Amino acid sequence: MNIEIKSLHFAYPDGTEALKGISLTIASGEQIAIVGQNGAGKTTLARHLNGLLKPSGGTVFVGDWETTQHPVAKLAARVGYVFQNPDEQLFSRDVLTEVSFGPRNLGYAKEKVDALAQRALALTELSEKTEVNPYDLSPTWRKMVALASIIAMDTPIVVFDEPTTGQDAANVARIARVVAELKREGKTVIAITHDIDFCAENFERVVALSRGQILLDGATRDVLGQEAVLAQTYVEPPQLTRLGKRLGLKETVVNQEELLQALKK
Amino acid sequence: MSDRLSFHVQRDSFLHRLNPLTKLTLAFALVVVAFVLPFYWTPIFVLFAVIVPLSVSGKIFREFSWAALRLILPAVGFLFVMQALFQPIGEQVVFKFYFLDATTESVAYAFRNAARIFVMISAFTLFLLSTHPSELMSDLTRRGLPSQFSYVVISTLQIIPQMQAKANAIIAAQRSRGLDTESSFLKRAGALGPLVGPLVFGSLVEVEERAIAIEARGFTSKRAKTSLYEIADSKFESVLRWSLVALVVLSIGLNLWHS
Ligand SMILES: Nc1ncnc2c1ncn2[C@@H]1O[C@H](COP(=O)(O)OP(=O)(O)O)[C@@H](O)[C@H]1O
Ligand SMILES: [Mg+2]
């Protein structure tokens, strides 16, 4: 299921022009990271994908649906959105009920709801914790519950807002495994992130936003190679990429493996 | 501090510069006078000779009249009609509504009561319009009110706009999980749990964190605190406050003597 954004403009009621003409096509099954400085418009863009915000100008299509024509509750079957703060959505007395909430809203049969919830719990390593009250878990595990509760909806498209912010290394690795599994299943994954290492290691395409416009859009390697342009939106390429540059490598490297390969040559 | 909840309107005026305690005393004194001075027209006099001119000199006449006409008048008007019709006093019927009748006496009685209530609400409206709650609280704390008390008042005022923002975030999150909040009333009523739950839990988590954070910064320390803002007070205002107190005592005395 493709996402087709055409000259999207958006202004908040107070007049802030958050998006100034974004055009973007995201193909089915792509892994794409959206980067850019604070206030660049990343969250505003992401919220258009499931219809939480409706364009002031231009169009957003998710598959054959234009977002203005469908309520959020219906778009939720196509686009899952993991919010940055899990405390803004957890309400059930145990993890299993929480994770089943989404698929139940989508009206799936009981067996399917159970199967989807179990799969999401396994993927987020929560299988042991199904009966715990989410508020008895640590903030990092609450984040995983929030993730699981969206993955359980089995949407073809999943959007993550700042998934790794405030997470410890173990949880970042867990989230990376979730992204990898979603990729294997052929889902589209879109992540807003400040974590440029996470972006370099898990995403094949990067879109850099700056002041409501697209600054760069392309393969991760090509985008992260453009240090000077990225500096305009206060994004620094990964340490490794900069090291590679300083070592005089011709190609841009974005992870350890590539750096080793390049050095061996 | 967000001002969405407090009625305070920032202006540069004589009224705004008065010490909060003076304004509070004034509001109380006006209410007592309006209620106990045994002259029929006292409340009307207080309203037009004191409260309205004060709102003008405080540069908040527009805000004050908006509140008076849109909020206070309808409520007080309702009270007037009810009392005029239901007070079983007087003989001279001026208006009949099925079995209810308003007499000259009941109308006069209802009018005075309504005027008193009008004075009461408008005196405090004037106070709230010209005084920021945190100003009042820091002044009272300086005068020996326990700081825990002002913390509770101030944080309650702060928490409501915060909760509004939070509620919006929660609604967005739950709609994204397929919760239907846009269609029928029944569906929306069923959506209450997922919306209220995180609001309450999240706020509890926040309140606890904040309590720990301010405790760690010595909030309950027994030493006298340094005040960050100097809240003006003067000999004149002190005299003014005591005169108001004297006025209150005088009106109560007059009331007792008169009856
Ligand atoms: N609810 C809102 N009302 C008004 N302006 C907003 C609101 N949310 C965000 N903005 C503004 O819109 C711009 C883009 O914000 P956002 O999309 O949150 O950026 P990012 O996620 O990249 O940090 C910023 O200038 C921000 O201040
Ligand atoms: Mg953001």
Side-chain angles (χ1 to χ4, degrees):
Chain A
M1 186 171 292
N2 292 356
I3 294 174
E4 189 78 49
I5 301 169
K6 282 211 190 92
S7 50
L8 168 61
H9 284 261
F10 182 78
Y12 281 100
D14 68 357
T16 312
E17 269 193 76
L19 299 176
K20 303 170 194 159
I22 302 267
S23 294
L24 193 63
T25 304
I26 301 171
S28 199
E30 264 193 299
Q31 267 62 55
I32 164 164
I34 302 176
V35 300
Q37 73 197 83
N38 265 329
K42 306 181 295 293
T43 300
T44 308
L45 174 60
R47 288 187 169 209
H48 277 86
L49 299 178
N50 72 340
L52 277 174
L53 295 176
K54 310 287 187 190
S56 315
T59 53
V60 177
F61 273 92
V62 177
D64 54 349
W65 289 356
E66 194 187 343
T67 56
T68 48
Q69 304 302 314
H70 300 274
V72 178
K74 198 167 160 220
L75 279 158
R78 293 191 170 184
V79 183
Y81 192 118
V82 185
F83 282 72
Q84 191 175 346
N85 181 1
D87 294 348
E88 281 168 0
Q89 57 168 69
L90 305 182
F91 67 95
S92 308
R93 47 185 187 290
D94 62 75
V95 170
L96 182 62
T97 316
E98 185 70 48
V99 173
S100 310
F101 177 71
R104 274 176 36 226
N105 281 332
L106 298 183
Y108 294 139
K110 176 89 177 65
E111 296 72 36
K112 185 165 181 196
V113 170
D114 288 340
L116 287 173
Q118 292 303 340
R119 166 183 151 276
L121 289 165
L123 199 56
T124 48
E125 303 172 29
L126 281 164
S127 299
E128 315 276 270
K129 300 184 170 66
T130 53
E131 285 169 20
V132 184
N133 185 316
Y135 281 91
D136 289 334
L137 293 170
S138 69
T140 49
W141 281 111
R142 286 213 287 277
K143 181 83 178 183
M144 295 315 282
V145 176
L147 233 77
S149 73
I150 298 302
I151 290 165
M153 294 167 74
D154 199 28
T155 51
I157 299 158
V158 185
V159 181
F160 295 93
D161 196 345
E162 304 278 3
T164 60
T165 303
Q167 303 299 309
D168 58 21
N171 229 30
V172 172
R174 248 176 238 124
I175 295 167
R177 284 197 290 277
V178 169
V179 173
E181 174 59 23
L182 293 176
K183 175 181 180 172
R184 212 188 52 76
E185 290 174 7
K187 307 215 182 259
T188 310
V189 180
I190 300 160
I192 294 171
T193 185
H194 269 109
D195 182 342
I196 210 73
D197 290 319
F198 177 76
C199 158
E201 280 156 27
N202 300 287
F203 294 86
E204 49 206 28
R205 178 174 163 200
V206 174
V207 171
L209 285 190
S210 174
R211 297 191 186 88
Q213 289 177 315
I214 293 180
L215 194 61
L216 289 170
D217 175 7
T220 304
R221 179 185 325 283
D222 300 336
V223 171
L224 294 184
Q226 309 212 37
E227 198 169 342
V229 184
L230 282 178
Q232 286 177 37
T233 189
Y234 301 95
V235 173
E236 279 192 344
Q239 198 85 32
L240 238 131
T241 308
R242 284 180 288 153
L243 180 63
K245 274 248 161 73
R246 289 192 63 180
L247 287 170
L249 300 178
K250 274 197 263 345
E251 64 270 54
T252 306
V253 296
V254 296
N255 58 38
Q256 290 187 8
E257 203 48 46
E258 290 180 9
L259 181 64
L260 285 176
Q261 292 295 326
L263 286 176
K264 275 186 195 148
K265 274 194 235 163
Chain B
M1 172 167 174
S2 167
D3 281 319
R4 257 188 295 172
L5 196 73
S6 85
F7 294 104
H8 178 248
V9 184
Q10 186 59 52
R11 294 280 149 75
D12 183 24
S13 85
F14 149 77
L15 192 61
H16 284 77
R17 279 190 299 271
L18 276 184
N19 181 279
L21 187 62
T22 309
K23 284 183 272 189
L24 191 61
T25 317
L26 179 66
F28 269 113
L30 291 177
V31 174
V32 173
V33 167
F35 270 81
V36 305
L37 256 199
F39 308 109
Y40 186 80
W41 293 102
T42 313
I44 297 299
F45 177 79
V46 169
L47 182 64
F48 287 103
V50 186
I51 296 181
V52 171
L54 273 178
S55 77
V56 173
S57 84
K59 302 182 183 164
I60 45 177
F61 177 69
R62 203 165 52 86
E63 288 81 3
F64 174 77
S65 33
W66 187 90
L69 296 178
R70 298 288 299 275
L71 304 173
I72 313 177
L73 196 61
V76 169
F78 177 74
L79 202 77
F80 170 73
V81 172
M82 286 295 125
Q83 282 207 320
L85 289 176
F86 282 95
Q87 271 299 326
I89 49 169
E91 313 275 285
Q92 185 88 46
V93 174
V94 290
F95 179 74
K96 225 174 148 50
F97 182 73
Y98 295 105
F99 59 95
L100 301 168
D101 41 25
T103 61
T104 333
E105 287 87 344
S106 74
V107 167
Y109 176 86
F111 180 77
R112 193 187 56 185
N113 273 350
R116 284 172 170 176
I117 304 285
F118 199 107
V119 166
M120 181 166 89
I121 306 178
S122 51
F124 281 99
T125 303
L126 197 64
F127 171 70
L128 291 174
L129 280 172
S130 63
T131 316
H132 199 286
S134 64
E135 244 171 66
L136 173 69
M137 283 303 146
S138 13
D139 192 55
L140 294 183
T141 310
R142 197 171 53 93
R143 296 177 196 271
L145 184 83
S147 45
Q148 282 88 341
F149 182 82
S150 40
Y151 172 69
V152 170
V153 173
I154 298 284
S155 58
T156 310
L157 286 175
Q158 281 179 338
I159 214 164
I160 291 181
Q162 276 171 15
M163 278 189 133
Q164 260 170 9
K166 215 176 165 65
N168 287 338
I170 293 166
I171 291 171
Q174 306 302 39
R175 284 166 75 200
S176 307
R177 293 165 81 194
L179 185 70
D180 195 342
T181 55
E182 285 161 314
S183 54
S184 77
F185 173 76
L186 254 171
K187 279 193 170 160
R188 277 182 285 158
L192 229 51
L195 297 182
V196 174
L199 195 62
V200 173
F201 282 122
S203 303
L204 287 179
V205 171
E206 238 166 56
V207 164
E208 189 183 354
E209 274 171 10
R210 181 151 59 159
I212 295 171
I214 66 167
E215 187 55 51
R217 290 190 281 165
F219 181 68
T220 51
S221 143
K222 294 280 182 295
R223 284 158 169 254
K225 292 185 201 309
T226 316
S227 198
L228 189 54
Y229 305 102
E230 267 315 313
I231 290 169
D233 198 9
S234 63
K235 196 84 212 142
F236 164 72
E237 288 199 40
S238 173
V239 171
L240 185 60
R241 284 196 293 268
W242 285 112
S243 327
L244 287 166
V245 171
L247 180 66
V248 164
V249 173
L250 205 70
S251 352
I252 294 175
L254 208 59
N255 179 293
L256 293 177
W257 177 71
H258 206 81
S259 59

